[in-house]
Short mmCIF file of all heavy atoms in Angstrom, two decimals:
data_model
loop_
_atom_site.label_atom_id
_atom_site.label_comp_id
_atom_site.label_asym_id
_atom_site.label_seq_id
_atom_site.Cartn_x
_atom_site.Cartn_y
_atom_site.Cartn_z
N VAL A 1 108.75 103.77 104.17
CA VAL A 1 109.96 104.48 104.60
C VAL A 1 110.47 103.81 105.86
O VAL A 1 109.69 103.23 106.62
CB VAL A 1 109.68 105.98 104.88
CG1 VAL A 1 109.31 106.71 103.60
CG2 VAL A 1 108.59 106.14 105.93
N PRO A 2 111.78 103.84 106.11
CA PRO A 2 112.31 103.21 107.33
C PRO A 2 111.68 103.82 108.58
O PRO A 2 111.44 105.03 108.65
CB PRO A 2 113.82 103.52 107.26
CG PRO A 2 114.10 103.78 105.82
CD PRO A 2 112.86 104.41 105.27
N LYS A 3 111.43 102.98 109.57
CA LYS A 3 110.79 103.47 110.79
C LYS A 3 111.66 104.49 111.51
O LYS A 3 111.15 105.33 112.27
CB LYS A 3 110.47 102.31 111.73
CG LYS A 3 111.68 101.62 112.30
CD LYS A 3 111.29 100.54 113.30
CE LYS A 3 112.53 99.93 113.96
NZ LYS A 3 112.17 98.92 114.96
N GLU A 4 113.00 104.43 111.27
CA GLU A 4 113.89 105.38 111.91
C GLU A 4 113.67 106.81 111.45
O GLU A 4 114.06 107.76 112.14
CB GLU A 4 115.35 104.98 111.66
CG GLU A 4 115.81 103.73 112.38
CD GLU A 4 115.32 102.44 111.74
OE1 GLU A 4 114.79 102.51 110.59
OE2 GLU A 4 115.47 101.37 112.34
N THR A 5 113.07 106.98 110.26
CA THR A 5 112.81 108.33 109.75
C THR A 5 111.45 108.86 110.17
O THR A 5 111.14 110.02 109.92
CB THR A 5 112.90 108.34 108.21
OG1 THR A 5 111.86 107.51 107.66
CG2 THR A 5 114.24 107.82 107.73
N ILE A 6 110.63 108.01 110.78
CA ILE A 6 109.30 108.42 111.23
C ILE A 6 109.42 108.97 112.65
O ILE A 6 110.14 108.39 113.48
CB ILE A 6 108.32 107.23 111.22
CG1 ILE A 6 108.26 106.60 109.81
CG2 ILE A 6 106.93 107.65 111.66
CD1 ILE A 6 107.46 105.31 109.77
N PRO A 7 108.77 110.10 112.96
CA PRO A 7 108.80 110.60 114.35
C PRO A 7 108.42 109.50 115.34
O PRO A 7 107.47 108.74 115.09
CB PRO A 7 107.76 111.73 114.34
CG PRO A 7 107.75 112.21 112.92
CD PRO A 7 108.00 110.99 112.07
N HIS A 8 109.15 109.42 116.42
CA HIS A 8 108.97 108.32 117.37
C HIS A 8 107.53 108.21 117.86
O HIS A 8 106.95 107.12 117.91
CB HIS A 8 109.92 108.49 118.56
CG HIS A 8 109.80 107.41 119.58
ND1 HIS A 8 110.23 106.12 119.36
CD2 HIS A 8 109.26 107.42 120.85
CE1 HIS A 8 109.98 105.38 120.43
NE2 HIS A 8 109.41 106.15 121.35
N TRP A 9 106.93 109.35 118.21
CA TRP A 9 105.57 109.32 118.74
C TRP A 9 104.57 108.82 117.69
O TRP A 9 103.61 108.11 118.02
CB TRP A 9 105.15 110.71 119.22
CG TRP A 9 105.02 111.73 118.11
CD1 TRP A 9 105.99 112.58 117.66
CD2 TRP A 9 103.86 111.99 117.32
NE1 TRP A 9 105.50 113.35 116.62
CE2 TRP A 9 104.19 113.01 116.40
CE3 TRP A 9 102.57 111.47 117.29
CZ2 TRP A 9 103.29 113.50 115.46
CZ3 TRP A 9 101.67 111.96 116.36
CH2 TRP A 9 102.03 112.97 115.46
N LEU A 10 104.84 109.16 116.41
CA LEU A 10 103.93 108.75 115.35
C LEU A 10 104.04 107.24 115.10
O LEU A 10 103.02 106.56 114.89
CB LEU A 10 104.23 109.52 114.07
CG LEU A 10 103.30 109.28 112.88
CD1 LEU A 10 101.86 109.62 113.26
CD2 LEU A 10 103.74 110.12 111.67
N TYR A 11 105.28 106.73 115.12
CA TYR A 11 105.46 105.29 114.92
C TYR A 11 104.83 104.51 116.07
O TYR A 11 104.21 103.46 115.85
CB TYR A 11 106.94 104.95 114.79
CG TYR A 11 107.18 103.48 114.52
CD1 TYR A 11 106.91 102.93 113.27
CD2 TYR A 11 107.66 102.64 115.52
CE1 TYR A 11 107.12 101.58 113.02
CE2 TYR A 11 107.86 101.30 115.28
CZ TYR A 11 107.59 100.77 114.03
OH TYR A 11 107.79 99.43 113.80
N GLU A 12 104.99 105.01 117.29
CA GLU A 12 104.39 104.34 118.44
C GLU A 12 102.86 104.37 118.34
O GLU A 12 102.19 103.39 118.67
CB GLU A 12 104.85 105.01 119.74
CG GLU A 12 106.32 104.79 120.06
CD GLU A 12 106.66 103.32 120.26
OE1 GLU A 12 105.85 102.61 120.91
OE2 GLU A 12 107.70 102.87 119.75
N PHE A 13 102.32 105.50 117.87
CA PHE A 13 100.87 105.58 117.66
C PHE A 13 100.43 104.56 116.61
O PHE A 13 99.36 103.94 116.74
CB PHE A 13 100.49 106.99 117.22
CG PHE A 13 99.06 107.11 116.75
CD1 PHE A 13 98.03 107.16 117.67
CD2 PHE A 13 98.76 107.17 115.40
CE1 PHE A 13 96.70 107.26 117.25
CE2 PHE A 13 97.44 107.27 114.96
CZ PHE A 13 96.41 107.31 115.89
N GLY A 14 101.25 104.38 115.58
CA GLY A 14 100.90 103.45 114.51
C GLY A 14 100.80 102.00 114.96
O GLY A 14 100.24 101.16 114.25
N LYS A 15 101.34 101.70 116.15
CA LYS A 15 101.29 100.33 116.64
C LYS A 15 99.89 99.89 117.06
O LYS A 15 99.68 98.72 117.38
CB LYS A 15 102.26 100.16 117.81
CG LYS A 15 103.72 100.16 117.38
CD LYS A 15 104.65 99.90 118.55
CE LYS A 15 106.11 99.87 118.09
NZ LYS A 15 107.04 99.63 119.22
N ILE A 16 98.93 100.83 117.05
CA ILE A 16 97.55 100.42 117.31
C ILE A 16 96.99 99.66 116.12
O ILE A 16 95.96 98.99 116.23
CB ILE A 16 96.64 101.61 117.65
CG1 ILE A 16 96.51 102.55 116.44
CG2 ILE A 16 97.15 102.36 118.87
CD1 ILE A 16 95.50 103.65 116.64
N PHE A 17 97.67 99.73 114.98
CA PHE A 17 97.27 98.97 113.80
C PHE A 17 98.17 97.74 113.69
O PHE A 17 99.38 97.81 113.94
CB PHE A 17 97.39 99.82 112.53
CG PHE A 17 96.60 101.09 112.58
CD1 PHE A 17 97.23 102.32 112.64
CD2 PHE A 17 95.21 101.06 112.56
CE1 PHE A 17 96.52 103.49 112.69
CE2 PHE A 17 94.48 102.23 112.61
CZ PHE A 17 95.13 103.45 112.68
N PRO A 18 97.64 96.61 113.27
CA PRO A 18 98.44 95.39 113.18
C PRO A 18 99.63 95.50 112.23
O PRO A 18 100.65 94.84 112.42
CB PRO A 18 97.44 94.34 112.68
CG PRO A 18 96.10 94.88 113.06
CD PRO A 18 96.21 96.37 112.98
N SER A 19 99.53 96.33 111.20
CA SER A 19 100.56 96.38 110.17
C SER A 19 101.92 96.83 110.70
O SER A 19 102.96 96.37 110.21
CB SER A 19 100.14 97.31 109.02
OG SER A 19 99.79 98.58 109.51
N SER A 20 101.96 97.71 111.70
CA SER A 20 103.25 98.21 112.20
C SER A 20 104.08 97.07 112.80
O SER A 20 105.23 96.86 112.43
CB SER A 20 103.03 99.32 113.22
OG SER A 20 102.48 100.47 112.61
N SER A 21 103.49 96.33 113.73
CA SER A 21 104.20 95.19 114.31
C SER A 21 104.35 94.07 113.29
O SER A 21 105.35 93.34 113.29
CB SER A 21 103.46 94.67 115.54
OG SER A 21 103.43 95.65 116.56
N GLY A 22 103.36 93.94 112.40
CA GLY A 22 103.41 92.89 111.39
C GLY A 22 104.55 93.06 110.42
O GLY A 22 105.26 92.10 110.10
N VAL A 23 104.75 94.28 109.94
CA VAL A 23 105.83 94.55 108.98
C VAL A 23 107.19 94.26 109.61
O VAL A 23 108.03 93.56 109.02
CB VAL A 23 105.77 96.00 108.48
CG1 VAL A 23 107.06 96.39 107.77
CG2 VAL A 23 104.59 96.19 107.54
N GLU A 24 107.42 94.78 110.80
CA GLU A 24 108.72 94.62 111.45
C GLU A 24 109.02 93.15 111.75
O GLU A 24 110.11 92.65 111.47
CB GLU A 24 108.76 95.44 112.74
CG GLU A 24 110.13 95.43 113.41
CD GLU A 24 110.19 96.35 114.62
OE1 GLU A 24 109.18 97.02 114.91
OE2 GLU A 24 111.26 96.40 115.26
N GLY A 25 108.05 92.44 112.30
CA GLY A 25 108.28 91.05 112.64
C GLY A 25 108.41 90.15 111.43
O GLY A 25 109.30 89.30 111.37
N PHE A 26 107.54 90.33 110.46
CA PHE A 26 107.56 89.47 109.27
C PHE A 26 108.82 89.69 108.44
O PHE A 26 109.38 88.74 107.87
CB PHE A 26 106.31 89.74 108.42
CG PHE A 26 106.07 88.71 107.35
CD1 PHE A 26 105.83 87.39 107.69
CD2 PHE A 26 106.09 89.06 106.01
CE1 PHE A 26 105.60 86.43 106.70
CE2 PHE A 26 105.87 88.11 105.03
CZ PHE A 26 105.61 86.80 105.37
N LEU A 27 109.29 90.93 108.37
CA LEU A 27 110.55 91.20 107.67
C LEU A 27 111.70 90.43 108.30
O LEU A 27 112.52 89.83 107.59
CB LEU A 27 110.85 92.70 107.70
CG LEU A 27 110.38 93.54 106.52
CD1 LEU A 27 110.61 95.02 106.81
CD2 LEU A 27 111.10 93.14 105.25
N ARG A 28 111.77 90.45 109.61
CA ARG A 28 112.87 89.77 110.29
C ARG A 28 112.78 88.26 110.12
O ARG A 28 113.80 87.57 109.98
CB ARG A 28 112.87 90.15 111.77
CG ARG A 28 113.22 91.62 112.02
CD ARG A 28 113.11 91.98 113.48
NE ARG A 28 114.06 91.22 114.29
CZ ARG A 28 114.08 91.23 115.62
NH1 ARG A 28 113.19 91.98 116.29
NH2 ARG A 28 114.96 90.53 116.29
N ILE A 29 111.58 87.72 110.11
CA ILE A 29 111.42 86.28 109.93
C ILE A 29 111.76 85.87 108.51
O ILE A 29 112.53 84.92 108.28
CB ILE A 29 109.98 85.85 110.29
CG1 ILE A 29 109.75 85.99 111.79
CG2 ILE A 29 109.73 84.40 109.86
CD1 ILE A 29 108.31 85.73 112.22
N GLN A 30 111.21 86.59 107.53
CA GLN A 30 111.39 86.20 106.14
C GLN A 30 112.80 86.45 105.61
O GLN A 30 113.35 85.64 104.88
CB GLN A 30 110.38 86.95 105.24
CG GLN A 30 109.03 86.32 105.15
CD GLN A 30 109.03 85.02 104.37
OE1 GLN A 30 109.58 84.01 104.82
NE2 GLN A 30 108.45 85.03 103.19
N THR A 31 113.38 87.58 105.94
CA THR A 31 114.67 87.93 105.36
C THR A 31 115.85 87.52 106.23
O THR A 31 116.91 87.18 105.71
CB THR A 31 114.76 89.45 105.10
OG1 THR A 31 114.59 90.15 106.34
CG2 THR A 31 113.69 89.90 104.13
N MET A 32 115.68 87.53 107.55
CA MET A 32 116.78 87.24 108.45
C MET A 32 116.71 85.84 109.06
O MET A 32 117.64 85.40 109.74
CB MET A 32 116.83 88.27 109.58
CG MET A 32 117.00 89.71 109.10
SD MET A 32 116.84 90.93 110.44
CE MET A 32 118.26 90.52 111.44
N GLY A 33 115.59 85.15 108.85
CA GLY A 33 115.44 83.82 109.43
C GLY A 33 115.22 83.84 110.92
O GLY A 33 115.55 82.87 111.62
#
């Protein structure tokens, strides 16, 4: 689901896992160059 629909505190908590930063960064690299 888009991160904008996730409660802010929960998304920030999720950053303790590599996947949160990984998804956002890799999406921008792969799709946006």
Side-chain angles (χ1 to χ4, degrees):
V1 294
K3 67 176 185 178
E4 290 77 11
T5 64
I6 304 173
H8 180 71
W9 67 268
L10 184 58
Y11 182 74
E12 291 298 318
F13 170 77
K15 288 184 178 179
I16 65 173
F17 304 111
S19 54
S20 293
S21 296
V23 166
E24 186 175 358
F26 193 62
L27 266 173
R28 293 176 62 187
I29 291 174
Q30 275 290 70
T31 60
M32 301 173 66

